[in-house]
């Protein structure tokens, strides 16, 4: 609040339905701050993921519902990823129908097809297939995530499954090595690289 008196301050919080109660109390205090502060707080939540905490915060906010992407929007999104290349129009139709205008799911489906090798990067440009076979069509977002996990090496999958069962969220590289004491440094590094590439984990440079 002191900082906002001297400088305009913008605070963006994604997936607010996932915050715990102490965090929600801090956010509520910011939302209740006097209007004289030069501060804007923006929160996002999934429409179907409303929690009691999120509802309490929403009552303090002006609420705007985002509409699904139109087919034209989906085309623009995919063009930003792959360029205005051949067969982009047919790819747009497939993805827009599957994702129903959800931008996150649209990108996940595109990544799924990249992982399968159906969309390839060749000689400095993306190459798209003329059509996608029915057996490569993900049923939903969960199926694309399951396919991504299934493609991990045994070492990478063991590490991320162990971390998923842990009582804390962050692991260090040293702790990964302790989980696989027989593995070489190169194997551990390769497994961590897989987890980062598949977005199974993220890193702040110190922990995963």
């Amino acid at each position: 609040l002191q900082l906002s008196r001297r400088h305009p301050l913008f605070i963006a919080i994604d997936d607010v339905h996932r915050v715990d109660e102490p965090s929600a109390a801090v956010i509520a205090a910011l939302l209740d701050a006097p209007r004289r502060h030069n501060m804007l707080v923006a929160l996002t939540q999934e429409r179907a993921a409303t929690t009691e905490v999120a509802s309490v915060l929403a009552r303090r906010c002006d609420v705007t519902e985002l509409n699904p992407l139109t087919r034209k929007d989906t085309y623009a999104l995919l063009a930003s990823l792959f360029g205005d290349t051949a067969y982009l129009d047919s790819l747009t139709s497939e993805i827009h129908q599957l994702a129903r205008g959800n931008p996150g799911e649209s990108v996940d489906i595109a990544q799924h097809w990249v992982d399968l090798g159906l969309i390839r990067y060749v000689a400095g440009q993306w190459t798209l297939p003329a059509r996608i076979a029915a057996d490569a069509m993900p049923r939903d977002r969960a199926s694309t995530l399951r396919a991504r996990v299934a493609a991990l090496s045994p070492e990478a999958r063991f590490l991320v499954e162990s971390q998923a069962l842990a009582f804390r969220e962050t692991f260090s590289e040293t702790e990964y090595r302790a989980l696989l004491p027989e593995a070489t440094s190169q194997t551990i590094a390769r497994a961590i690289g897989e987890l980062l590439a598949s977005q199974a984990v993220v890193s702040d440079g110190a922990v995963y």
Side-chain angles (χ1 to χ4, degrees), residues 14-15 17-18 44-49 69 77 94-95 97-113 115 136-150 198-199:
D14 200 13
D15 293 333
H17 52 278
R18 299 178 62 186
T44 71
Q45 73 169 62
E46 296 177 11
R47 183 178 286 109
L69 299 180
L77 173 62
E94 300 282 9
I95 288 183
Q97 183 177 356
L98 287 168
R100 300 175 301 281
N102 183 302
E105 290 192 24
S106 299
V107 173
D108 280 344
I109 293 169
Q111 180 63 54
H112 177 60
W113 289 338
D115 294 340
M137 294 287 189
R139 293 187 304 277
D140 49 33
R141 191 175 200 176
S143 65
T144 65
L145 297 176
R146 282 195 294 270
R148 196 178 299 172
V149 171
S198 67
Q199 299 180 337

Side-chain angles (χ1 to χ4, degrees), residues 34 41 51 86-87 94 108 124 128 136 149:
V41 181
T51 62
Y87 304 122
E94 300 282 9
D108 280 344
L128 310 182
V149 171

Side-chain angles (χ1 to χ4, degrees), residues 119-127:
I119 299 175
R120 295 178 294 168
Y121 192 69
V122 180
Q125 64 180 8
W126 289 100
T127 301

